[in-house]
Amino acid sequence: MILLTLIKKELKAFFRSKSDVIIMLIFPVILIFVMGKSLNNLMSVEKNIFNNKTIYYRINAPINNEKNLQLFYDFMINFEKKTNVKFIENKNYKNATNDVNNNKAICFMDIYDNKINYFRNEKKESTESKIFRNLYEQYMRKYSFLQTMSKSNSKQMTSLSNYQIKILLKDENINEEEISSYTYYTFAELILIILYISTLTSISMYKERFLHTMTRLKVSGTNKFNILASKIALGIIIGLMQTFVVYIMSTKLLHVNWGYNLIYIMLVLISFIIFSSVLGIFISIIFDDQKTAYTVNNILIIIMGFLGGSYVPICLVKSTRITGFLCNIMPNYWANTAILGLHYDMETKYYIISILISLSLSVIMLIVGNFISEQKVGGSFD
């Protein structure tokens, strides 16, 4: 009963603030429409970005590691089938690199026994080259899994390679069924606006501290668990309301199909909502000054939003090694990737990874936050 009373108090405080209601429930609709409309051309370019383009390669003898060479051939064959790109062997290094620099070819792959030298346009690397390079690097990183699977059945290697190409292409929004900008940004901006729940729970914690209600609640016998649970519950309820508003708007107005895996999509979203709610609580525990906490929180949201693909498509974010590495450790990147995969009914475990990352980080932040609060004077949030 005490927990329910606290949750009701949090919801009343939320709906009293018109600005909070507008930002959390109305702003997502505007954001999705604006981003979808303004970046429609950027998304549509990617459908046939490799169509009839050329990639040069050269095999430099001797090649002692036949497995690596076979891996390249498997990748080449399956990539040609899925994208209609042309791989052409060119043994003339100078002519091949000149064609790349003159944008007559995407890149030149110079293959040796244990390495591949990737030559791209020296002046300005093309979008096709960035995306292809990223796809190939991902494929190579995931090869160990494919190789392990193929040991039990040698015929599985080709089918697994083909399947992996499909996964990578859909990760980058390159497939036979074009992903519209409205579809992409429906999910990407929903993930972004869920992140702003952290500011809501953080501010709620500071309000309690400013009004000294924490002290009064503890004197009345309310334990810390109920107080924190009410904040998390507030975030979950607001997050579900956001999801409902976006779902109705996107399906009715923008004609976005959420696919057949709606339950799994909701599980990914709920786990991410929990992460965002706990993030706000964690930040309020670390920083005593509300302005500092608010600034840090917003900077973190901007960085996570960029790396998670909420501002530009994921393929462009992952086109450089640094951002490609950083986005892999962002929970919103995994949430976005998982939802897009579920939308296309892909048989991947990305949604499980996303849920585990969000919930694991939430637990870690609660444990660390509790430890930090206990080290402060009186072990209190006040």
Side-chain angles (χ1 to χ4, degrees):
M1 289 297 294
I2 295 176
L3 179 59
L4 290 176
T5 302
L6 291 174
I7 294 172
K8 289 179 182 178
K9 178 181 74 70
E10 295 291 344
L11 289 173
K12 286 180 181 179
F14 170 75
F15 284 107
R16 283 196 196 104
S17 174
K18 293 181 180 179
S19 60
D20 285 347
V21 173
I22 292 172
I23 292 172
M24 291 295 167
L25 301 180
I26 300 176
F27 182 64
V29 176
I30 300 172
L31 189 63
I32 290 168
F33 180 79
V34 170
M35 293 295 288
K37 187 70 174 177
S38 61
L39 296 178
N40 184 54
N41 292 333
L42 180 61
M43 295 297 297
S44 61
V45 168
E46 295 171 4
K47 182 182 178 183
N48 297 310
I49 195 169
F50 294 116
N51 193 35
N52 294 323
K53 297 293 177 67
T54 300
I55 294 175
Y56 287 134
Y57 70 93
R58 180 176 71 173
I59 310 296
N60 295 279
I63 301 292
N64 297 318
N65 195 336
E66 294 292 336
K67 287 184 178 180
N68 285 344
L69 184 59
Q70 186 59 46
L71 170 63
F72 170 77
Y73 283 133
D74 288 339
F75 176 87
M76 180 179 72
I77 292 169
N78 286 298
F79 199 82
E80 282 183 327
K81 288 180 182 178
K82 296 301 171 187
T83 63
N84 202 28
V85 75
K86 296 177 182 178
F87 281 81
I88 298 175
E89 186 171 10
N90 190 333
K91 296 184 177 181
N92 190 316
Y93 181 87
K94 185 176 181 180
N95 287 344
T97 53
N98 282 337
D99 281 354
V100 173
N101 282 327
N102 292 321
N103 294 318
K104 293 181 180 179
I106 293 176
C107 63
F108 174 56
M109 304 180 74
D110 207 11
I111 303 168
Y112 291 88
D113 189 26
N114 289 312
K115 68 175 182 177
I116 295 179
N117 292 331
Y118 187 93
F119 183 86
R120 49 191 170 176
N121 192 305
E122 293 176 328
K123 296 179 180 178
K124 184 178 180 181
E125 185 178 15
S126 65
T127 301
E128 297 96 323
S129 177
K130 290 178 181 178
I131 296 174
F132 174 77
R133 178 164 50 83
N134 177 48
L135 288 169
Y136 188 73
E137 287 175 355
Q138 287 186 71
Y139 183 86
M140 292 298 292
R141 286 197 296 267
K142 295 175 182 178
Y143 174 63
S144 58
F145 167 74
L146 297 176
Q147 192 177 39
T148 303
M149 291 291 289
S150 66
K151 287 180 180 178
S152 58
N153 186 351
S154 58
K155 293 182 179 180
Q156 277 188 320
M157 190 56 166
T158 302
S159 61
L160 283 170
S161 298
N162 180 41
Y163 179 62
Q164 191 65 24
I165 291 293
K166 289 181 181 179
I167 293 175
L168 293 175
L169 290 175
K170 287 194 173 183
D171 277 352
E172 306 298 335
N173 310 320
I174 304 165
N175 47 77
E176 294 84 356
E177 179 186 356
E178 180 183 7
I179 181 171
S180 72
S181 58
Y182 288 121
T183 299
Y184 179 85
Y185 283 108
T186 290
F187 301 124
E189 300 313 308
L190 176 57
I191 293 295
L192 176 64
I193 206 67
I194 285 174
L195 270 175
Y196 278 94
I197 291 175
S198 61
T199 63
L200 193 67
T201 54
S202 178
I203 291 172
S204 178
M205 291 290 289
Y206 282 108
K207 283 182 179 178
E208 304 282 17
R209 188 180 301 175
F210 177 75
L211 298 172
H212 297 287
T213 50
M214 284 288 191
T215 302
R216 293 199 297 270
L217 286 169
K218 289 179 180 180
V219 170
S220 66
T222 305
N223 59 40
K224 187 187 295 184
F225 171 81
N226 285 331
I227 297 170
L228 296 181
S230 67
K231 307 297 181 185
I232 297 172
L234 170 67
I236 293 173
I237 293 170
I238 301 305
L240 290 175
M241 291 173 66
Q242 287 176 334
T243 303
F244 178 75
V245 170
V246 170
Y247 178 79
I248 296 299
M249 182 276 300
S250 62
T251 54
K252 300 300 181 182
L253 299 180
L254 303 179
H255 308 291
V256 173
N257 182 6
W258 283 49
Y260 300 102
N261 296 305
L262 195 56
I263 294 176
Y264 292 128
I265 289 175
M266 288 305 301
L267 289 175
V268 171
L269 289 173
I270 291 171
S271 61
F272 188 70
I273 290 168
I274 293 172
F275 162 79
S276 183
S277 303
V278 175
L279 177 63
I281 296 171
F282 182 68
I283 289 175
S284 70
I285 294 172
I286 293 177
F287 299 99
D288 293 325
D289 181 63
Q290 183 176 352
K291 290 183 179 179
T292 303
Y294 185 79
T295 302
V296 171
N297 200 351
N298 279 281
I299 291 174
L300 190 60
I301 290 173
I302 292 171
I303 294 172
M304 292 180 69
F306 170 74
L307 294 173
S310 294
Y311 302 133
V312 295
I314 292 176
C315 58
L316 298 182
V317 178
K318 299 187 72 175
S319 61
T320 62
R321 289 186 179 181
I322 295 176
T323 55
F325 168 76
L326 290 175
C327 72
N328 282 321
I329 60 176
M330 294 294 163
N332 55 316
Y333 161 77
W334 286 104
N336 196 10
T337 302
I339 292 174
L340 286 173
L342 290 168
H343 170 267
Y344 281 108
D345 199 24
M346 291 168 53
E347 297 179 6
T348 69
K349 301 300 181 183
Y350 288 163
Y351 71 96
I352 296 178
I353 295 173
S354 174
I355 292 170
L356 289 175
I357 289 175
S358 295
L359 295 181
S360 298
L361 288 175
S362 300
V363 172
I364 291 171
M365 285 189 293
L366 286 173
I367 293 173
V368 175
N370 182 66
F371 175 78
I372 293 173
S373 68
E374 293 295 336
Q375 301 306 307
K376 293 184 178 181
V377 178
S380 172
F381 292 120
D382 270 357

